[in-house]
Amino acid sequence: MTDNPAEVVEEVGHPPAQASRHWRRFAVVSLVLGLLFGVPWWTLVVAGDWPMPVTVAATLVFTAALVALPVLVLTGHGKHRDVPSAIGDVLLGVVWVVFVWSVLGNIARPLLIGLGVDEPLRSRLIAVAVIVVATVLLGWGHHEAMRIPRVRRVPVRIPRLGPGLDGLRVAIITDTHYGPINRSRWSAAVVERVNELDADIVCHVGDIADGTVEMRREQAAPLAEITAATRTYVTGNHEYFSEAQEWLDYLESIGWSSLHNRHVTVQRGGDTLVVAGIDDATAAGSGVSGHGQDLAAALDGAEDGAPILLLAHQPKQIRHAVAAGVDLQISGHTHGGQIWPFNYLVRLEQPVVQGLSTHGERTQLYTSRGTGYWGPPFRIFAPSEITLLTLSTA
């Protein structure tokens, strides 16, 4: 948010529009926190009519967590401090899962009423079930987030692909989000698995890290060991929180082609594939000079009639790809929702949450669920992936 010095200043010295926005934001955040913590508190503590010592102790735990979450987020992510960031992320994931299953538990309440289960046993059964399910899902979800992603193999037919390029293999990693929890070994293992695929092209489709190159160099360094002949990278929205140009320059320095609104070509058997990349959709509004998605610039000088593979971090950038006659866009950003049922909220902003889809007469879109995770170190019903696309003419 940018202050406007031309605004009329109140007697207290604050621009009224700015103060209003601050209050609206405070109100929205307060409402969200109230629901996230209030629904589980009522479901697990109040409704069960537990003995007073249990109720008081549990209420104190919920209150402490409610106060801690915004403090950890502000002192962690707001000031790039890893320890409070990591703790805050875990807390956010836990409260989201407990909130979701508290809601579902209350939806099941009429069933228990129909079965003749009286209070307080009814509410206590719901509370225990919520705790058990949430605990199991969080344990499994953490394992899913931290493991080396499975390879998802997807055949893609591109009619304009020349016969010399038939069978071209494109490996995709995206949304690695190197961050507060050091995943250097994980990063090296991901690179090893990608190299085993023997792909012709390896793409990183943005959100490489949460933090600057200086902060995350150790985790990103294994990317230098990717052995594919063509290695391409585009920015995601998170790079614009942490020195996007530095990340573009760093990837170039370790042998990748940073596709900052430009393209490279891959040739085989006398046929050409244009591999283009554009900045993230948020780049223009980020304040970073010279950044902003520009597909026309990315395709400037491209061979007429050659099939186009476009890297664009967000699936919603597909409308530009359709207008330009792109054959295949590769995106990430959605994480497949990461923690169910967040995928339904993602779908409100993006045209696709995951997988291969068709748009317009020619353009296809592949949306990866992501290789890493953002924030809460959990993945629930949205597994991570390393993707191998095999392009064919038929």
Side-chain angles (χ1 to χ4, degrees):
M1 182 172 62
T2 303
D3 296 340
N4 183 354
E7 289 178 326
V8 178
V9 180
E10 295 179 316
E11 289 184 2
V12 293
H14 298 290
Q18 179 185 357
S20 178
R21 285 194 293 270
H22 283 319
W23 278 111
R24 284 198 300 270
R25 180 181 298 176
F26 177 78
V28 170
V29 171
S30 297
L31 176 61
V32 170
L33 288 174
L35 288 172
L36 279 177
F37 286 91
V39 172
W41 174 69
W42 185 87
T43 304
L44 303 182
V45 181
V46 178
D49 192 24
W50 301 97
M52 184 59 66
V54 174
T55 300
V56 171
T59 299
L60 289 175
V61 170
F62 270 97
T63 302
L66 172 61
V67 173
L69 181 58
V71 171
L72 289 167
V73 169
L74 290 174
T75 58
H77 291 291
K79 297 183 178 180
H80 297 293
R81 295 175 179 171
D82 284 351
V83 172
S85 293
I87 297 172
D89 289 342
V90 170
L91 180 56
L92 177 60
V94 170
V95 73
W96 170 255
V97 172
V98 175
F99 166 78
V100 167
W101 289 92
S102 293
V103 171
L104 294 176
N106 283 299
I107 291 174
R109 191 176 294 273
L111 175 62
L112 294 177
I113 294 175
L115 293 174
V117 180
D118 295 326
E119 293 287 9
L121 178 60
R122 180 166 64 237
S123 290
R124 292 182 179 182
L125 287 174
I126 291 172
V128 170
V130 168
I131 292 171
V132 170
V133 171
T135 300
V136 170
L137 287 178
L138 286 166
W140 172 65
H142 182 67
H143 169 75
E144 283 290 298
M146 304 305 289
R147 68 168 174 78
I148 308 306
R150 302 177 186 92
V151 176
R152 190 178 189 184
R153 302 172 188 269
V154 182
V156 182
R157 179 177 176 270
I158 299 179
R160 292 204 301 165
L161 196 71
L165 294 167
D166 190 52
L168 192 79
R169 295 154 67 86
V170 181
I172 305 167
I173 55 176
T174 183
D175 299 279
T176 45
H177 285 283
Y178 302 126
I181 298 176
N182 191 315
R183 287 177 289 148
S184 300
R185 292 183 180 179
W186 176 89
S187 181
V190 166
V191 167
E192 182 178 351
R193 182 157 295 181
V194 169
N195 284 339
E196 290 171 354
L197 300 176
D198 194 27
D200 302 285
I201 304 170
V202 174
C203 307
H204 193 303
V205 201
D207 279 5
I208 188 171
D210 292 301
T212 63
V213 172
E214 182 181 359
M215 294 173 66
R216 308 301 178 210
R217 186 187 304 271
E218 180 184 355
Q219 297 180 61
L223 294 174
E225 304 304 317
I226 293 286
T227 56
T230 301
R231 294 166 284 180
T232 56
Y233 161 73
V234 293
T235 55
N237 57 305
H238 278 246
E239 279 86 335
Y240 291 96
F241 303 139
S242 52
E243 305 296 342
Q245 189 59 53
E246 283 189 8
W247 279 111
L248 288 164
D249 295 341
Y250 175 73
L251 267 292
E252 285 279 349
S253 75
I254 61 172
W256 289 62
S257 295
S258 292
L259 301 183
H260 173 37
N261 295 322
R262 69 183 187 95
H263 73 270
V264 295
T265 59
V266 174
Q267 297 181 331
R268 196 172 75 177
D271 292 307
T272 299
L273 174 69
V274 175
V275 182
I278 55 176
D279 295 344
D280 182 68
T282 63
S286 68
V288 179
S289 178
H291 284 247
Q293 60 180 346
D294 189 341
L295 186 51
L299 297 178
D300 185 37
E303 179 181 319
D304 289 340
I308 302 169
L309 171 65
L310 175 67
L311 276 58
H313 180 65
Q314 298 196 40
K316 68 181 180 182
Q317 294 174 279
I318 190 66
R319 63 185 182 90
H320 302 289
V322 171
V326 167
D327 297 88
L328 174 63
Q329 175 177 313
I330 295 173
S331 297
H333 184 66
T334 68
H335 299 205
Q338 186 166 321
I339 303 178
W340 184 89
F342 209 81
N343 52 303
Y344 296 109
L345 298 180
V346 173
R347 186 62 182 82
L348 297 176
E349 186 199 16
Q350 301 291 339
V352 177
V353 176
Q354 62 91 24
L356 188 65
S357 55
T358 302
H359 304 261
E361 295 182 0
R362 172 190 296 173
T363 307
Q364 297 179 79
L365 166 65
Y366 184 79
T367 305
S368 169
R369 292 186 299 246
T371 309
Y373 64 87
W374 172 83
F378 306 104
R379 273 186 171 271
I380 297 175
F381 305 132
S384 58
E385 65 179 80
I386 295 168
T387 319
L388 183 66
L389 305 182
T390 302
L391 310 187
S392 64
T393 58

